[in-house]
Protein backbone atom coordinates (compact mmCIF):
# COMPACT_ATOMS: atom_id res chain seq x y z
CA UNK A 1 0.00 0.00 0.00
CA UNK A 2 2.81 2.40 0.88
CA UNK A 3 4.59 1.70 -2.44
CA UNK A 4 1.33 2.29 -4.33
CA UNK A 5 0.80 5.63 -2.57
CA UNK A 6 4.39 6.62 -3.34
CA UNK A 7 3.84 5.91 -7.04
CA UNK A 8 0.61 7.93 -7.08
CA UNK A 9 2.40 10.85 -5.44
CA UNK A 10 5.21 10.50 -7.97
CA UNK A 11 2.72 10.64 -10.83
CA UNK A 12 1.23 13.88 -9.51
CA UNK A 13 4.70 15.39 -9.22
CA UNK A 14 5.45 14.28 -12.78
CA UNK A 15 2.25 15.82 -14.17
CA UNK A 16 3.09 19.13 -12.52
CA UNK A 17 6.68 19.16 -13.77
CA UNK A 18 5.93 18.28 -17.39
CA UNK A 19 2.93 20.60 -17.57
CA UNK A 20 5.09 23.55 -16.55
CA UNK A 21 7.87 22.57 -18.95
CA UNK A 22 5.35 22.40 -21.76
CA UNK A 23 4.42 26.06 -21.34
CA UNK A 24 7.88 27.48 -20.65
CA UNK A 25 8.56 28.45 -24.32
CA UNK A 26 6.23 31.37 -23.68
CA UNK A 27 8.60 32.67 -20.99
CA UNK A 28 12.07 32.67 -22.59
CA UNK A 29 11.33 35.24 -25.35
CA UNK A 30 10.28 37.69 -22.62
CA UNK A 31 13.91 37.78 -21.45
CA UNK A 32 15.33 39.10 -24.72
CA UNK A 33 17.61 40.92 -25.50
CA UNK A 34 19.51 38.78 -22.96
CA UNK A 35 21.42 36.01 -24.71
CA UNK A 36 21.07 32.31 -23.96
CA UNK A 37 24.25 32.14 -21.86
CA UNK A 38 23.25 35.15 -19.75
CA UNK A 39 19.78 33.68 -19.19
CA UNK A 40 21.37 30.35 -18.28
CA UNK A 41 23.65 32.04 -15.74
CA UNK A 42 20.66 33.79 -14.17
CA UNK A 43 18.81 30.45 -14.01
CA UNK A 44 21.70 28.94 -12.09
CA UNK A 45 22.11 31.90 -9.72
CA UNK A 46 18.47 32.57 -8.87
CA UNK A 47 17.60 28.88 -8.62
CA UNK A 48 20.01 28.55 -5.69
CA UNK A 49 18.33 31.50 -3.97
CA UNK A 50 14.90 29.89 -4.39
CA UNK A 51 15.92 26.44 -3.13
CA UNK A 52 17.88 28.03 -0.28
CA UNK A 53 14.73 29.76 0.93
CA UNK A 54 12.81 26.51 0.57
CA UNK A 55 15.38 24.65 2.67
CA UNK A 56 15.17 27.34 5.34
CA UNK A 57 11.40 26.87 5.40
CA UNK A 58 11.51 23.09 5.81
CA UNK A 59 14.72 23.11 7.93
CA UNK A 60 16.38 20.21 6.13
CA UNK A 61 20.16 20.50 6.30
CA UNK A 62 21.40 17.10 7.49
CA UNK A 63 21.67 15.76 3.92
CA UNK A 64 24.56 18.17 3.18
CA UNK A 65 26.95 16.49 5.58
CA UNK A 66 25.87 13.07 4.35
CA UNK A 67 26.45 14.09 0.72
CA UNK A 68 29.92 15.49 1.46
CA UNK A 69 30.88 12.17 3.03
CA UNK A 70 30.04 10.21 -0.14
CA UNK A 71 32.46 11.03 -2.99
CA UNK A 72 30.59 8.87 -5.49
CA UNK A 73 27.29 10.61 -4.77
CA UNK A 74 29.02 13.98 -4.89
CA UNK A 75 30.49 13.09 -8.29
CA UNK A 76 27.10 12.02 -9.63
CA UNK A 77 25.62 15.31 -8.41
CA UNK A 78 28.32 17.26 -10.24
CA UNK A 79 27.64 15.22 -13.38
CA UNK A 80 23.91 15.88 -13.09
CA UNK A 81 24.59 19.61 -12.72
CA UNK A 82 26.77 19.61 -15.84
CA UNK A 83 24.28 17.65 -17.93
CA UNK A 84 21.29 19.78 -16.97
CA UNK A 85 23.29 22.94 -17.73
CA UNK A 86 23.82 21.72 -21.29
CA UNK A 87 20.12 20.91 -21.59
CA UNK A 88 19.03 24.27 -20.17
CA UNK A 89 21.36 26.33 -22.32
CA UNK A 90 20.53 24.55 -25.57
CA UNK A 91 16.80 24.71 -24.92
CA UNK A 92 16.85 28.46 -24.19
CA UNK A 93 18.88 29.10 -27.34
CA UNK A 94 16.60 26.96 -29.51
CA UNK A 95 13.40 28.64 -28.30
CA UNK A 96 14.76 32.15 -28.73
CA UNK A 97 16.16 31.36 -32.18
CA UNK A 98 13.03 29.95 -33.79
CA UNK A 99 13.49 26.22 -33.13
CA UNK A 100 10.56 25.52 -30.79
CA UNK A 101 9.22 22.70 -32.98
CA UNK A 102 12.64 21.04 -33.28
CA UNK A 103 13.18 21.33 -29.54
CA UNK A 104 9.78 19.74 -28.94
CA UNK A 105 10.93 16.81 -31.08
CA UNK A 106 13.77 16.29 -28.62
CA UNK A 107 11.30 15.75 -25.82
CA UNK A 108 9.15 13.47 -27.99
CA UNK A 109 12.25 11.34 -28.60
CA UNK A 110 13.29 11.43 -24.94
CA UNK A 111 11.00 8.58 -23.78
CA UNK A 112 12.60 6.33 -26.36
CA UNK A 113 16.07 7.34 -25.22
CA UNK A 114 15.02 6.68 -21.62
CA UNK A 115 13.91 3.19 -22.64
CA UNK A 116 17.24 2.59 -24.39
CA UNK A 117 19.13 3.69 -21.30
CA UNK A 118 16.99 1.43 -19.16
CA UNK A 119 18.16 -1.47 -21.33
CA UNK A 120 21.82 -0.50 -21.65
CA UNK A 121 22.47 0.80 -18.13
CA UNK A 122 19.87 -0.76 -15.85
CA UNK A 123 19.60 -4.11 -17.62
CA UNK A 124 15.88 -3.79 -18.28
CA UNK A 125 14.31 -6.08 -20.90
CA UNK A 126 12.24 -4.74 -23.76
CA UNK A 127 9.04 -6.31 -24.98
CA UNK A 128 8.51 -6.87 -28.71
CA UNK A 129 6.30 -3.80 -29.12
CA UNK A 130 8.92 -1.61 -27.46
CA UNK A 131 11.56 -2.82 -29.93
CA UNK A 132 9.20 -1.97 -32.80
CA UNK A 133 8.67 1.53 -31.36
CA UNK A 134 12.41 2.10 -31.10
CA UNK A 135 12.83 0.97 -34.71
CA UNK A 136 10.11 3.34 -35.92
CA UNK A 137 11.71 6.24 -34.07
CA UNK A 138 15.03 5.52 -35.78
CA UNK A 139 13.31 5.71 -39.17
CA UNK A 140 11.63 8.95 -38.05
CA UNK A 141 15.00 10.54 -37.30
CA UNK A 142 16.20 9.61 -40.80
CA UNK A 143 13.08 11.14 -42.38
CA UNK A 144 13.48 14.32 -40.35
CA UNK A 145 17.16 14.53 -41.29
CA UNK A 146 16.04 14.64 -44.94
CA UNK A 147 13.38 17.22 -44.10
CA UNK A 148 15.77 19.54 -42.25
CA UNK A 149 18.64 18.94 -44.65
CA UNK A 150 20.71 17.80 -41.68
CA UNK A 151 20.30 15.49 -38.68
CA UNK A 152 18.02 17.06 -36.04
CA UNK A 153 20.98 17.78 -33.74
CA UNK A 154 19.03 20.05 -31.40
CA UNK A 155 16.41 17.37 -30.85
CA UNK A 156 18.94 14.59 -30.35
CA UNK A 157 21.08 16.61 -27.94
CA UNK A 158 18.08 17.65 -25.85
CA UNK A 159 16.74 14.09 -25.74
CA UNK A 160 20.05 12.50 -24.76
CA UNK A 161 21.00 15.12 -22.18
CA UNK A 162 17.66 15.01 -20.38
CA UNK A 163 17.45 11.22 -20.45
CA UNK A 164 20.94 11.11 -18.96
CA UNK A 165 19.86 13.57 -16.29
CA UNK A 166 16.87 11.41 -15.41
CA UNK A 167 19.09 8.35 -15.15
CA UNK A 168 21.54 10.12 -12.85
CA UNK A 169 18.68 11.33 -10.64
CA UNK A 170 17.48 7.73 -10.41
CA UNK A 171 20.96 6.63 -9.30
CA UNK A 172 21.28 9.46 -6.77
CA UNK A 173 17.98 8.67 -5.05
CA UNK A 174 17.87 12.07 -3.33
CA UNK A 175 14.83 14.18 -2.58
CA UNK A 176 13.87 16.67 -5.27
CA UNK A 177 14.64 19.76 -3.20
CA UNK A 178 17.91 18.41 -1.85
CA UNK A 179 19.27 17.26 -5.21
CA UNK A 180 18.38 20.56 -6.89
CA UNK A 181 20.03 22.48 -4.05
CA UNK A 182 23.22 20.47 -4.45
CA UNK A 183 23.26 20.90 -8.24
CA UNK A 184 22.63 24.65 -8.17
CA UNK A 185 25.22 25.12 -5.41
CA UNK A 186 27.82 23.58 -7.74
CA UNK A 187 26.71 25.84 -10.59
CA UNK A 188 26.42 29.03 -8.55
CA UNK A 189 30.00 30.33 -8.53
CA UNK A 190 30.68 29.88 -12.27
CA UNK A 191 27.30 31.47 -13.08
CA UNK A 192 27.80 34.40 -10.72
CA UNK A 193 31.34 34.94 -12.01
CA UNK A 194 30.05 35.13 -15.57
CA UNK A 195 27.34 37.62 -14.64
CA UNK A 196 29.84 39.83 -12.80
CA UNK A 197 32.13 39.72 -15.82
CA UNK A 198 29.25 40.72 -18.11
CA UNK A 199 28.51 43.64 -15.81
CA UNK A 200 32.13 44.78 -15.79
CA UNK A 201 32.08 44.76 -19.61
CA UNK A 202 28.88 46.80 -19.75
CA UNK A 203 27.09 43.94 -21.50
CA UNK A 204 24.64 42.89 -18.78
CA UNK A 205 20.99 43.26 -19.71
CA UNK A 206 20.12 42.84 -16.01
CA UNK A 207 21.39 46.34 -15.25
CA UNK A 208 20.58 48.04 -18.56
CA UNK A 209 17.01 47.02 -19.48
CA UNK A 210 15.04 48.35 -16.53
CA UNK A 211 13.47 46.97 -13.38
CA UNK A 212 10.86 44.86 -15.16
CA UNK A 213 13.50 43.01 -17.16
CA UNK A 214 15.60 42.47 -14.04
CA UNK A 215 12.61 40.97 -12.21
CA UNK A 216 11.92 38.63 -15.13
CA UNK A 217 15.52 37.42 -15.05
CA UNK A 218 15.22 36.87 -11.29
CA UNK A 219 12.02 34.89 -11.90
CA UNK A 220 14.08 32.31 -13.80
CA UNK A 221 14.83 30.88 -10.36
CA UNK A 222 11.18 30.04 -9.80
CA UNK A 223 10.61 28.88 -13.39
CA UNK A 224 13.59 26.56 -13.03
CA UNK A 225 13.29 25.36 -9.47
CA UNK A 226 9.61 24.46 -9.20
CA UNK A 227 9.36 21.93 -12.09
CA UNK A 228 12.80 20.48 -11.35
CA UNK A 229 11.90 19.87 -7.70
CA UNK A 230 8.72 18.17 -8.88
CA UNK A 231 10.67 16.12 -11.43
CA UNK A 232 13.29 15.09 -8.87
CA UNK A 233 10.55 13.97 -6.50
CA UNK A 234 8.91 11.97 -9.30
CA UNK A 235 12.17 10.36 -10.49
CA UNK A 236 12.75 8.54 -7.20
CA UNK A 237 9.15 7.31 -6.95
CA UNK A 238 8.31 5.99 -10.42
CA UNK A 239 10.21 3.86 -12.99
CA UNK A 240 12.16 5.46 -15.84
CA UNK A 241 9.65 4.02 -18.30
CA UNK A 242 6.82 5.83 -16.49
CA UNK A 243 8.75 9.10 -16.59
CA UNK A 244 9.06 8.58 -20.33
CA UNK A 245 5.29 8.23 -20.64
CA UNK A 246 4.66 11.36 -18.57
CA UNK A 247 7.02 13.37 -20.74
CA UNK A 248 4.54 13.27 -23.62
CA UNK A 249 2.78 16.23 -22.00
CA UNK A 250 5.60 18.73 -22.40
CA UNK A 251 6.41 18.23 -26.10
CA UNK A 252 2.72 18.21 -27.05
CA UNK A 253 2.36 21.68 -25.52
CA UNK A 254 5.68 22.81 -27.02
CA UNK A 255 4.83 21.54 -30.49
CA UNK A 256 1.43 23.24 -30.37
CA UNK A 257 3.05 26.52 -29.34
CA UNK A 258 5.69 26.23 -32.07
CA UNK A 259 3.15 25.67 -34.86
CA UNK A 260 0.17 27.72 -33.67
CA UNK A 261 1.74 30.53 -31.64
CA UNK A 262 5.26 30.97 -33.09
CA UNK A 263 4.12 29.96 -36.63
CA UNK A 264 7.16 27.83 -37.42
CA UNK A 265 7.25 26.05 -40.78
CA UNK A 266 6.06 22.44 -41.01
CA UNK A 267 6.64 21.13 -44.56
CA UNK A 268 5.28 17.66 -45.49
CA UNK A 269 8.50 15.77 -44.74
CA UNK A 270 8.56 17.15 -41.19
CA UNK A 271 4.93 16.13 -40.68
CA UNK A 272 5.93 12.66 -41.90
CA UNK A 273 8.82 12.45 -39.44
CA UNK A 274 6.75 13.69 -36.53
CA UNK A 275 3.95 11.28 -37.47
CA UNK A 276 6.38 8.37 -37.24
CA UNK A 277 7.53 9.54 -33.81
CA UNK A 278 3.94 9.84 -32.66
CA UNK A 279 3.20 6.35 -34.00
CA UNK A 280 6.11 4.99 -31.95
CA UNK A 281 4.86 6.77 -28.85
CA UNK A 282 1.32 5.50 -29.44
CA UNK A 283 2.70 1.94 -29.55
CA UNK A 284 4.58 2.51 -26.30
CA UNK A 285 1.47 3.90 -24.62
CA UNK A 286 -0.69 0.98 -25.80
CA UNK A 287 1.94 -1.51 -24.64
CA UNK A 288 2.28 0.17 -21.24
CA UNK A 289 -1.49 0.15 -20.68
CA UNK A 290 -1.76 -3.50 -21.77
CA UNK A 291 1.10 -4.50 -19.48
CA UNK A 292 -0.45 -2.61 -16.57
CA UNK A 293 -3.74 -4.44 -17.07
CA UNK A 294 -1.95 -7.80 -17.16
CA UNK A 295 -0.02 -6.93 -14.00
CA UNK A 296 -3.22 -5.99 -12.15
CA UNK A 297 -4.87 -9.23 -13.28
CA UNK A 298 -1.87 -11.28 -12.13
CA UNK A 299 -1.86 -9.45 -8.80
CA UNK A 300 -5.45 -10.43 -8.22
CA UNK A 301 -4.69 -14.12 -8.77
CA UNK A 302 -1.10 -14.69 -7.63
CA UNK A 303 0.29 -11.71 -5.71
CA UNK A 304 3.75 -13.22 -5.35
CA UNK A 305 4.16 -13.43 -9.12
CA UNK A 306 2.79 -9.97 -9.89
CA UNK A 307 6.03 -8.28 -11.06
CA UNK A 308 6.86 -11.00 -13.61
CA UNK A 309 4.58 -10.03 -16.57
CA UNK A 310 6.03 -6.51 -16.72
CA UNK A 311 9.54 -7.93 -17.29
CA UNK A 312 8.79 -10.64 -19.81
CA UNK A 313 8.88 -9.96 -23.56
CA UNK A 314 5.42 -9.88 -25.10
Amino acid sequence: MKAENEQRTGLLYGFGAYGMWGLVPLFWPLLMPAGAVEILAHRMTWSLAVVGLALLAVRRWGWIRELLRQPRKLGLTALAASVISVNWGLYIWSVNNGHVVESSLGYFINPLVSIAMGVLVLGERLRRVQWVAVGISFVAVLVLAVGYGRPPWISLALACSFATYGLIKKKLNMGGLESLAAETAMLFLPALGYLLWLGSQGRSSFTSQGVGHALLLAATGLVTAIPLVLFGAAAIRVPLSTLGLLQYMAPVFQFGLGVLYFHEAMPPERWAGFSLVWAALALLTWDALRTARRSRAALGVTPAAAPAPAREPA
Side-chain angles (χ1 to χ4, degrees):
M1 181 61 72
K2 182 179 179 181
E4 185 177 344
N5 289 335
E6 280 288 291
Q7 286 215 2
R8 287 177 180 173
T9 302
L11 285 173
L12 290 176
Y13 285 139
F15 281 126
Y18 288 119
M20 293 183 69
W21 277 322
L23 297 175
V24 81
L26 296 173
F27 180 71
W28 302 127
L30 300 177
L31 304 180
M32 296 172 71
V37 179
E38 183 181 1
I39 296 172
L40 175 62
H42 277 287
R43 285 190 80 172
M44 296 173 179
T45 304
W46 294 107
S47 294
L48 182 61
V50 171
V51 296
L53 290 173
L55 287 172
L56 281 174
V58 298
R59 298 181 181 180
R60 292 209 302 262
W61 303 103
W63 61 272
I64 298 177
R65 183 176 298 177
E66 181 183 349
L67 177 62
L68 293 175
R69 289 176 177 174
Q70 301 180 63
R72 180 180 177 277
K73 207 167 188 177
L74 201 59
L76 284 174
T77 303
L79 183 60
S82 301
V83 171
I84 199 60
S85 296
V86 172
N87 185 272
W88 286 353
L90 180 59
Y91 184 68
I92 294 167
W93 179 88
S94 63
V95 170
N96 284 357
N97 285 273
H99 298 286
V100 176
V101 169
E102 190 175 353
S103 67
S104 76
L105 175 63
Y107 294 107
F108 277 122
I109 295 174
N110 178 258
L112 298 157
V113 177
S114 294
I115 287 173
M117 286 188 174
V119 173
L120 297 174
V121 181
L122 302 180
E124 297 177 356
R125 296 173 61 188
L126 293 189
R127 294 176 293 278
R128 188 177 297 114
V129 173
Q130 291 174 313
W131 280 116
V132 172
V134 171
I136 292 174
S137 68
F138 179 75
V139 174
V141 170
L142 294 179
V143 171
L144 287 163
V146 173
Y148 280 106
R150 57 173 174 79
W153 295 118
I154 294 173
S155 307
L156 295 172
L158 288 172
C160 292
S161 60
F162 200 75
T164 302
Y165 180 69
L167 176 63
I168 297 169
K169 298 284 274 192
K170 191 78 174 176
K171 294 281 189 180
L172 278 171
N173 196 28
M174 292 175 64
L177 183 61
E178 291 86 348
S179 61
L180 180 58
E183 291 160 21
T184 51
M186 291 180 176
L187 298 171
F188 177 76
L189 287 180
L192 182 61
Y194 177 76
L195 292 176
L196 292 175
W197 177 80
L198 273 184
S200 69
Q201 300 294 308
R203 296 163 54 189
S204 171
S205 68
F206 184 79
T207 56
S208 63
Q209 297 296 316
V211 175
H213 181 74
L215 290 175
L216 283 173
L217 286 172
T220 57
L222 290 172
V223 171
T224 299
I226 293 174
L228 272 174
V229 167
L230 294 175
F231 173 78
I236 62 173
R237 288 173 169 85
V238 297
L240 274 178
S241 56
T242 304
L243 286 179
L245 293 173
L246 286 177
Q247 179 145 354
Y248 297 167
M249 291 177 57
V252 166
F253 289 164
Q254 293 165 8
F255 178 81
L257 288 173
V259 174
L260 301 175
Y261 182 80
F262 293 102
H263 304 293
E264 294 186 13
M266 279 295 293
E269 57 271 19
R270 293 185 193 173
W271 279 113
F274 271 86
S275 297
L276 286 170
V277 172
W278 295 333
L281 296 179
L283 276 177
L284 288 179
T285 303
W286 171 77
D287 180 65
L289 293 173
R290 182 186 63 166
T291 303
R293 284 195 297 268
R294 288 181 175 179
S295 297
R296 286 194 295 269
L299 183 63
V301 177
T302 55
R311 293 178 178 270
E312 294 175 356

